[in-house]
Amino acid sequence: MFSYYFKLALRSFGRNKILTALMVLAIALGIGAAMTTLTVFKVLSGDPIPHKSDRLFYVQLDPYTKEGYKAGEEPESQLTRFDAEELLRQKKAPRQAMMTGGSGIVDPRVDALKPFSISMRYTSADFFPMFDTPFAFGQGWTGDEDQGRSRVAVISDTLNDKLFKGENSVGKEVLVEGNAMRIVGVLKEWKPAPKFYDLYSGKFDSEEDVYLPFSTALDLKLGRNGNMNCFGRELVNDATAQNVPCSWIQYWVELNSPGDAKDFKAYLDNYSEQQRAAGRFERPANTRLRNVMELMEHRNAVPGDVRLQMWLAFGFLLVCLVNTVGLLLAKFLRRSGEIGVRRALGASRAEIFKQCLIEAGTIGLAGGLLGLVFALFGLWAVRQRPADYASLAHLDGSMLLVTFALAVLASMLAGILPAWRAMQVTPALQLKSQ
């Protein structure tokens, strides 16, 4: 009966073209607005590394002075160089990485290209296996190369294409700020959005082109970027020096299971108390250990205006559905005579209800098609905005299916009341009036 009712729905469209067009347009506008904002929200709030996000943890300590101390307040968001290097040395986690952002100039040493600016990341060896970075050629450097302050680098596929035309460049050199770095690996395209491993220097920044050992970057005094907070009582000459009270380093650990977080948190508390006993820390242990999704929530990876726009769009969809309910009531009750004849010929109320509901779903399908066009236009408009996340606004396959599913579901929900009213039509009264 489904195919029969579907054909009846298509015929009904031809008899009530204006009414049908209004319903399709109402649903399409609501679906277009909802899917535009929902797609942006999904892109920004999705799990960037779902297979292990519950085992990756961001470390925070509280090295501040006693002034202004309030028990339980949020500690400093990043670590000092001393603490980061000490935690790395103690190696209490299976994998751990300290890092910060940087920038510099690459000299292509090719007449056809001029020196150009790049974004960099200074980190330690575990960064690559910890975050499962995909390699086109080679691999990351080793812990021994970290300690040896080796002049090695991992570069992006974008930079590899620019300098070496996409060929395997492992073993060749890239000139960064006048320093020759031996390439040990080339990454495939890797653009986690948001950039969850560093939510402190640009959540949606473009990919980094060069990755260098942290120790090497310090030796060469390469430029760094990102937040830095100095809180000591003494004048700071070199904020990146080892014993200076300035926090500017992100620190991540990978644990074997989410359950190990409690033990590692206890280790951090104990470390803080040891530093307090040594006179470096002045406050009681106040540490944080958040996994990827917890950190994204804490750092508001999804901007507040995106959440608000999404709820407003779904509110608009609800208004569109209320209008659709009224139009469907008018459409179905106008056919009371036809429904009365069907009932007199033996059609049950359930069959009338199904016929009307399938017709409402068919209208939703048409609305979904037009709504998809509106959603694509809406996402194009988002990409024209100056927001840092605008370039990520694209409709993927899963959201394409959601568009049609939501359109059909919404229209069928809107059709429940009109279908129920239609099936209440009394055959005798309708036949008598005819």
Side-chain angles (χ1 to χ4, degrees), residues 329 332-333 336 339-340 343 349 352-353 356 416-426:
L329 274 171
F332 292 160
L333 294 182
S336 296
I339 294 172
R343 293 277 286 114
R349 288 182 173 180
I352 299 298
F353 185 83
C356 293
I416 289 177
L417 177 60
W420 182 82
R421 290 289 301 275
M423 78 178 189
Q424 303 299 322
V425 170
T426 303

Side-chain angles (χ1 to χ4, degrees), residues 234-309:
E234 299 178 358
L235 182 65
V236 174
N237 293 321
D238 181 5
T240 63
Q242 185 177 38
N243 295 310
V244 170
C246 294
S247 56
W248 52 285
I249 299 171
Q250 301 99 45
Y251 198 91
W252 284 88
V253 298
E254 178 182 345
L255 304 179
N256 290 324
S257 70
D260 292 341
K262 182 178 180 181
D263 291 337
F264 195 83
K265 176 71 162 53
Y267 156 70
L268 293 177
D269 291 339
N270 184 56
Y271 172 83
S272 294
E273 290 299 336
Q274 289 175 354
Q275 297 303 312
R276 186 184 181 196
R280 287 193 63 250
F281 288 6
E282 298 182 14
R283 300 183 177 188
N286 181 27
T287 64
R288 297 289 187 276
L289 192 65
R290 293 184 172 99
N291 64 29
V292 172
M293 298 307 292
E294 290 170 343
L295 183 66
M296 287 176 58
E297 178 69 22
H298 172 68
R299 293 293 300 173
N300 297 317
V302 181
D305 62 327
V306 172
R307 294 180 186 272
L308 178 61
Q309 290 167 9

Side-chain angles (χ1 to χ4, degrees), residues 38-60:
L38 183 61
T39 298
V40 175
F41 180 81
K42 174 180 177 290
V43 169
L44 301 186
S45 64
D47 191 339
I49 184 166
H51 61 288
K52 64 189 319 186
S53 62
D54 60 345
R55 295 188 288 114
L56 296 176
F57 292 88
Y58 186 76
V59 174
Q60 293 174 252

Side-chain angles (χ1 to χ4, degrees), residues 1 23 34 44 72 80 87 130 135 146 150 160 187 210 242 246 264 294 339 345 353 368 373 384 400:
M1 296 294 290
M23 288 186 287
L44 301 186
T80 66
L87 293 181
M130 180 185 294
F135 278 89
D146 263 335
S150 300
N160 190 60
L187 293 179
V210 174
Q242 185 177 38
C246 294
F264 195 83
E294 290 170 343
I339 294 172
L345 293 175
F353 185 83
V373 176
Q384 309 313 305
L400 181 64

